[in-house]
Amino acid sequence: TQGKWPLVLVVDDVQWLDSDSLRLLQRVLSQMRSTKVLLAARPDFDIKTLQTAGHGCTHLGLTPLKKSATVEMVKDLCGGNPTKDMVQQIIERSEGIPFFTEQLILYLLENDSLELIKGRVFLKEDKGLPPSISSIIVSRVDRLGKRLSKLVKVASVVGQQFSLHLLSHILGRKKIENEVTDLTQEAL
């Protein structure tokens, strides 16, 4: 880099790159030896398939949450000690992925699926865990009502960044600022 700021290249979800994209990334890496590069991938992706030798790459393997960390997360979010069975179900479903673990617990709280009895947190018998992170998100979007749900769905197709004017135009609504404020307050 010739500017006065250092350049860092971040490539997330490397495991989803097709073979052509991997070759392009390999070529970019070979041309950017002085640039810091952060490659993020799932643990099952063999990062060694990318020839990073000479690029000063260090492999940092992130392991799943340990059982004790899952217990602490439940305690922090629910205010009590979870049962062993509940912890085991959360670990099995989330595969120890911190974000999924947190979202599972929040989902259970949002859906009144937990009982707190004498400092112990129990999963209600008639309630189960959602199968995936996407099902948690869909559940949250569906609870918003038709107008806000449509706004979220359209915005998700438009992209990560967009103007309110563009979103308003696509939806055929004059002012959507209040709806966006409502979504922000919902902390979706």
Side-chain angles (χ1 to χ4, degrees):
T1 61
Q2 294 181 350
K4 58 184 194 177
W5 306 109
L7 176 66
V8 177
L9 174 66
V10 178
V11 183
D12 196 6
D13 291 327
V14 175
Q15 74 276 1
W16 298 117
L17 296 179
D18 60 25
S19 58
D20 289 337
S21 299
L22 282 170
R23 280 195 296 279
L24 174 63
L25 178 58
Q26 182 64 55
R27 186 172 175 111
V28 168
L29 289 175
S30 70
Q31 300 297 313
M32 301 177 73
R33 298 232 183 257
S34 64
T35 302
K36 301 294 181 195
V37 179
L38 172 64
L39 303 175
R42 296 221 9 134
D44 54 345
F45 178 77
D46 184 10
I47 200 74
K48 293 176 187 121
T49 60
L50 288 171
Q51 311 248 329
T52 55
H55 199 76
C57 291
T58 302
H59 180 258
L60 174 62
L62 301 178
T63 58
L65 282 179
K66 293 182 178 177
K67 185 176 181 177
S68 60
T70 302
V71 169
E72 286 304 313
M73 192 180 291
V74 174
K75 283 181 185 179
D76 289 346
L77 294 172
C78 300
N81 290 312
T83 63
K84 288 180 182 180
D85 181 56
M86 180 180 150
V87 170
Q88 190 59 39
Q89 287 183 52
I90 290 172
I91 290 170
E92 287 174 7
R93 185 60 48 91
S94 70
E95 298 178 351
I97 299 169
F99 177 72
F100 192 9
T101 300
E102 176 189 49
Q103 293 305 308
L104 273 173
I105 298 165
L106 292 174
Y107 173 89
L108 294 171
L109 288 167
E110 292 164 0
N111 289 280
D112 195 33
S113 299
L114 301 174
E115 283 185 296
L116 182 62
I117 302 171
K118 295 182 182 178
R120 299 275 297 162
V121 181
F122 296 87
L123 183 61
K124 290 181 179 176
E125 287 195 28
D126 62 333
K127 305 286 185 169
L129 296 177
S132 65
I133 192 74
S134 61
S135 63
I136 293 172
I137 294 168
V138 167
S139 170
R140 287 186 181 140
V141 170
D142 287 346
R143 283 196 316 258
L144 293 173
K146 284 187 177 184
R147 286 182 68 83
L148 290 179
S149 178
K150 184 172 182 179
L151 187 144
V152 168
K153 290 173 183 175
V154 170
S156 72
V157 174
V158 173
Q160 290 182 355
Q161 295 181 2
F162 50 84
S163 70
L164 290 181
H165 176 75
L166 173 63
L167 193 56
S168 179
H169 180 74
I170 293 170
L171 290 166
R173 300 182 200 159
K174 296 226 185 237
K175 295 220 175 211
I176 60 169
E177 289 84 3
N178 292 339
E179 293 174 71
V180 171
T181 300
D182 290 346
L183 284 173
T184 305
Q185 290 173 346
E186 285 283 331
L188 189 69

